[in-house]
Amino acid sequence: MKSYSDSYKKAGVDITAGYKAVALMQQHIHKTNINGSINEIGGFGGLFPLQLGEIKNPILVAGTDGVGTKLKIAFLLDKHDTIGIDCVAMCVNDIICCGAKPLFFLDYIALGKNIPEKVAQIVKGIADGCVSASCQLIGGETAEMPGFYAEDEYDLAGFSVGVIDKDRMIENKKVAVGDIVIGLASSGVHSNGFSLVRKIFNVEKGDLHKTFAEFSGQTLGEVLLTPTKIYVQSILKLYNEVAIKGISHITGGGLYENIPRSIPLGVAAKIEKKRIKQLPIFQLIAKYGKIPERDMYNTFNMGLGMTIIVAKENADKALELLKSYGEEATILGEIVASDESVILC
């Protein structure tokens, strides 16, 4: 590559660093290739061979999201190889809520200074997330923006597209009184609520390196940086075995905001709080931040990454299958007639 600009470099943008970053990330990108890929990173657009198989009436489902201020934890710990998993998870876990299979993913990394080795670590996490979701990383953009971002900081966002046959789309219209709500355990705080977490803990001045008895030797920083769990493969397998009526990805807004998105008006998910295996990190957040219980359930996932609604007669089979897929699954409650949407008892 002969492209080089000394003037641009003096302004803070080293385009040769970008070329090096691409070279370093290639090994990670290649491991996501599927469907006889014809894609080569570096072109103007990402290519993906669409193989519809038995899908007769394809509907494309798109999702986009970022990681939010969880990135601050990665900056402070100087650990960048897992944050990309969060970015992928926030997109593909949304797409799966209507039953769609994620096909491909693109990323956008904006940073103050392009350090190729750091960018490669970020992309490694993105590629790992794509492998977990069985989708392909087909491209992205790395934008060096000196003066806009601090040299050691960056922002990360992503975009994913999936596909579902229109006749198989999961729509909340079929949810009815008596249906069962199943919860899938989260891996931690995931990627929501970190502005509040950072306010509660003194992350800028050392709390990230503290250990708590509840964390079995892990530091606060390690617990907070635990990647968001990706549920794609488990839910896709379940969907081929059991009729799923509704799925919610428990993200920002917690249970109170996300569960209503998978149920129709006039019914509510009645959930027994004692059935939720609340992770120690949430207990510490509530304790140190003096956060009321209602606010905790309206901000964090509280130990639930996804909820799934099935007919009562299918609940035991769904639970058994999910556990066989390696998920920590629990029956949380049922659908009742109510205008409240979510009832925690």
Side-chain angles (χ1 to χ4, degrees):
M1 178 69 71
K2 296 181 179 179
S3 177
Y4 177 78
S5 172
D6 190 56
S7 297
Y8 210 5
K9 185 174 182 179
K10 289 178 180 178
V13 179
D14 185 357
I15 57 178
T16 59
Y19 304 142
K20 182 179 180 182
V22 170
L24 291 175
M25 67 178 73
Q26 289 283 5
Q27 60 175 314
H28 306 302
I29 296 171
H30 285 160
K31 69 184 179 185
T32 73
N33 287 352
I34 56 178
N35 291 348
S37 174
I38 58 173
N39 191 61
E40 283 296 332
I41 300 299
F44 288 103
L47 309 177
F48 185 83
L50 187 59
Q51 298 177 3
L52 295 176
E54 297 181 357
I55 297 178
K56 305 300 182 184
N57 193 359
I59 299 293
L60 295 179
V61 183
T64 185
D65 210 335
V67 182
T69 61
K70 183 174 183 175
L71 289 171
K72 285 283 190 181
I73 310 300
F75 301 160
L76 291 166
L77 295 178
D78 194 24
K79 180 172 169 51
H80 311 280
D81 61 342
T82 62
I83 205 74
I85 299 175
D86 292 284
C87 192
V88 174
M90 295 304 290
C91 296
V92 298
N93 284 345
D94 279 355
I95 287 174
I96 198 66
C97 287
C98 64
K101 180 188 184 306
L103 297 174
F104 58 80
F105 186 88
L106 295 98
D107 64 73
Y108 176 78
I109 306 169
L111 34 71
K113 182 177 178 60
N114 190 335
I115 301 172
E117 292 77 12
K118 180 186 287 189
V119 173
Q121 286 298 293
I122 298 169
V123 174
K124 175 188 179 297
I126 294 170
D128 288 343
C130 287
V131 170
S132 180
S134 295
C135 68
Q136 184 171 338
L137 178 56
I138 64 171
E141 172 70 11
T142 303
E144 192 170 14
M145 302 167 65
F148 195 87
Y149 292 97
E151 284 197 358
D152 59 347
E153 295 190 353
Y154 55 86
D155 198 6
L156 175 62
F159 172 84
S160 187
V161 171
V163 66
I164 179 72
D165 197 311
K166 185 177 181 180
D167 294 336
R168 298 197 71 219
M169 283 184 64
I170 297 173
E171 301 180 273
N172 65 16
K173 297 174 184 177
K174 296 181 180 179
V175 174
V177 172
D179 288 342
I180 300 300
V181 183
I182 296 174
L184 301 186
S186 68
S187 56
V189 184
H190 283 185
S191 299
N192 303 103
F194 274 86
S195 293
L196 180 55
V197 169
R198 288 169 40 245
K199 181 180 179 181
I200 292 169
F201 297 106
N202 192 10
V203 298
E204 304 285 347
K205 297 183 179 179
D207 269 11
L208 289 179
H209 300 287
K210 288 185 178 180
T211 57
F212 296 83
E214 296 89 339
F215 295 160
S216 302
Q218 283 188 300
T219 65
L220 175 63
E222 289 171 334
V223 170
L224 291 177
L225 207 56
T226 301
T228 305
K229 186 172 176 57
I230 293 174
Y231 301 91
V232 170
Q233 296 197 46
S234 293
I235 291 179
L236 285 177
K237 285 189 286 188
L238 180 69
Y239 193 33
N240 287 327
E241 300 291 335
V242 174
I244 298 176
K245 292 189 172 187
I247 303 177
S248 288
H249 181 199
I250 310 302
T251 56
L255 278 68
Y256 281 109
E257 184 172 317
N258 291 289
I259 291 179
R261 299 164 70 178
S262 66
I263 59 178
L265 295 176
V267 301
K270 186 177 181 181
I271 293 173
E272 296 182 48
K273 289 181 289 187
K274 66 181 181 181
R275 293 177 179 265
I276 301 173
K277 185 178 179 181
Q278 194 177 118
L279 300 173
I281 182 61
F282 297 114
Q283 297 166 5
L284 285 178
I285 289 171
K287 175 183 176 181
Y288 282 86
K290 297 181 173 58
I291 308 298
E293 183 182 68
R294 177 62 170 72
D295 289 356
M296 289 294 295
Y297 279 97
N298 210 154
T299 305
F300 300 103
N301 68 61
M302 300 302 287
L304 294 174
M306 305 282 282
T307 58
I308 300 172
I309 300 172
V310 298
K312 187 173 184 178
E313 60 268 24
N314 292 328
D316 289 340
K317 180 179 180 180
L319 198 65
E320 181 181 346
L321 286 169
L322 286 165
K323 289 180 178 180
S324 74
Y325 304 151
E327 298 292 345
E328 190 173 344
T330 308
I331 292 180
L332 302 174
E334 63 178 339
I335 300 297
V336 299
S338 175
D339 292 327
E340 294 188 48
S341 295
V342 177
I343 300 171
L344 299 181
C345 56

